[in-house]
Amino acid sequence: GAHTADLDWNSSFMLSFLELVSGLTTPAIHPARAAQIAAINANSSLTWRAAANARFAFQPPGASRSSNGVLGDWAADIRAAVARGDVAHYVPADATLALPESFDSEEHWKECAKVIGDIRDQSNCGCCWAFAGAEAASDRMCIATGGKMVVPLSAQDVCFCGGGLFSRGCDGGQITTPWEYIKRTGAVTGGQFKGSGPFGRGLCADYSLPHCHHHGPQGDDPYPAEGAPGCPSEHSPTCPKRCDDGSAKGHDVWDDDKILFDGEVQTASGEQAIMKMIYEGGPVETAFSVYSDFENYDGGIYKHTSGSMAGGCETRRDAPRSTEMRRDAPGCAAALARGCPIGSARSKMAGVACPRHVHDTSRAGTR
């Protein structure tokens, strides 16, 4: 009898333990968020659906604010850069250019597919401003040189050495900073954490912060979720002054590995101009607004519906009519739900969230 009682007690204890664990891993939905989700789903005219994302469920709308890495008013920042002469307005080389129905930079510039297809991970660090710039600049460098320079520019260098007055590593930055930095001082080469990307080891300065799982179900993603052991909220490391140990010959001296560009940095505004910029010269860096309702994205074609602005985010974009933000740095708030289609006026999507400002170097050479 005593043995049977022990089994019953153990079974009851285990059931209670599992209920406790379940309660810890499935937090209650914040009342304000629950109301926001209910209002979105009650609107039958919308093209997307909302649900509580475990990352933000227990917090009020706007909880993604700390994840958005763009500081200040980036539109005003660009206007000021144009007024100073640091940035020029993009003018298509072919004014009569007719855009195709679909386009993918990786397919179009096959000689640069390795670098264009390199999707980097910024870890739990608000460095989207630097990642987007370093990646787009790497792509355009390859395209501008006809595939002679197929190498990634270091996000480690751009993020932690390239900050200006309003660009502070993991604490966010501005869209103009990476381009100003690369043009002025250059960036060394560098790939992903511990050489885990397609370029492996041997470049000057690989990214030093670990891979993380950023959004959506964990699935078979081997990396820890943001905030879990192994993926803490990061502080900016010190700007490196020397290449990584084990860097290959030709990439082992910091100053000698720097790559700069000549020419002008350009900005485009409006969907048609952005699409033409990508089609003519390759991927671009974009900045866009993130609203609190996007934290609840659960599928469909997103359009801002309710809630205030939670901040700004930057990403690399390589397909003029892509229905996905395929080039996001994964930690960017654009991917904080599950990665989603963003509404634009010209594709089969209805909305107003098309990126408004981008930078490129389509007229730039490298040295």
Side-chain angles (χ1 to χ4, degrees), residues 233-254:
S233 179
E234 299 284 0
H235 299 285
S236 301
T238 302
C239 166
K241 298 297 184 182
R242 58 188 295 272
C243 294
D244 297 340
D245 293 339
S247 296
K249 186 173 177 58
H251 295 297
D252 53 347
V253 179
W254 183 268

Side-chain angles (χ1 to χ4, degrees), residues 18 24 28 45 49 51 61 89-90 94 103 118 123 142 154 160 190 215 235 269 293 307 318 346 349 352:
L18 290 175
L24 290 174
S45 66
R49 61 185 179 274
H89 286 291
Y90 163 74
D94 180 0
F103 179 80
D118 181 18
S123 191
C142 180
S154 172
F160 306 125
H215 57 279
H235 299 285
S269 182
D293 61 348
D318 78 329
R346 291 288 300 172
M349 303 185 280
V352 294

